[in-house]
Amino acid sequence: MSQGLIHHIELYVSNLKISADFWGWFLEELGYQVHQKWDRGQSWKLGETYIVFVQAEEKYLDVAYHRCRVGLNHLAFHASSRQQVEEMTSKLKDRNVRILYEDKHPFAGGTDHYAVYFEDPDRMKVELVVPSQG
């Protein structure tokens, strides 16, 4: 049953090519596949859920996104294991992606919350977290 599950998420980005390169790599590592592609957007799908990235219009690029303003703070994805979190952390570093709370990694969310936090090209926070055991 899919009632209550997220159908899709649509995010406007400042540079579609840069965001598609960043998100495409990450989402495909998690098992997503390209779903749709058009001149001003692209989406990836896993199961019945898809994530869409759309190029923001030039007239709206004067105000940069900030996760502490009203609106979306971050997206969090399930990891399959602690090993996947560590492998992804290493890959993110290899790609020069900014790791957040690196001094507290992998327990920045608390001792029972094993995760890596990082930023996308527009500085949105992204989290890859191991589901709790309890």
Side-chain angles (χ1 to χ4, degrees):
M1 181 164 114
S2 60
Q3 180 178 318
L5 297 178
I6 290 181
H7 185 270
H8 71 276
I9 296 168
E10 185 169 319
L11 301 169
Y12 278 70
V13 296
S14 64
N15 184 308
L16 180 60
K17 180 178 179 357
I18 291 171
S19 290
D21 289 346
F22 174 86
W23 281 100
W25 165 82
F26 176 69
L27 293 172
E28 289 168 19
E29 286 277 330
L30 296 180
Y32 284 75
Q33 296 180 340
V34 172
H35 178 53
Q36 300 165 316
K37 204 173 193 179
W38 65 102
D39 62 338
R40 296 193 56 84
Q42 187 166 347
S43 66
W44 284 263
K45 186 172 186 176
L46 179 63
E48 296 300 314
T49 300
Y50 61 98
I51 302 176
V52 183
F53 301 89
V54 178
Q55 176 64 54
E57 292 181 34
E58 187 73 31
K59 65 183 176 182
Y60 297 119
L61 293 178
D62 60 339
V63 177
Y65 165 82
H66 195 288
R67 66 180 168 267
C68 292
R69 291 188 182 128
V70 173
L72 182 69
N73 176 268
H74 71 281
L75 293 176
F77 296 85
H78 286 279
S80 61
S81 64
R82 288 181 174 203
Q83 179 179 344
Q84 185 184 29
V85 167
E86 292 311 315
E87 288 171 357
M88 189 65 72
T89 301
S90 179
K91 290 176 182 181
L92 289 161
K93 288 179 179 180
D94 288 347
R95 295 174 74 88
N96 295 315
V97 174
R98 182 171 177 224
I99 305 297
L100 302 171
Y101 325 118
E102 197 165 7
D103 60 325
K104 298 177 184 174
H105 175 78
F107 296 108
T111 57
D112 60 347
H113 193 82
Y114 200 97
V116 59
Y117 299 84
F118 54 98
E119 286 185 336
D120 88 338
D122 285 315
R123 299 198 61 211
M124 181 188 329
K125 182 167 55 173
V126 184
E127 177 182 355
L128 181 64
V129 60
V130 179
S132 66
Q133 304 300 318

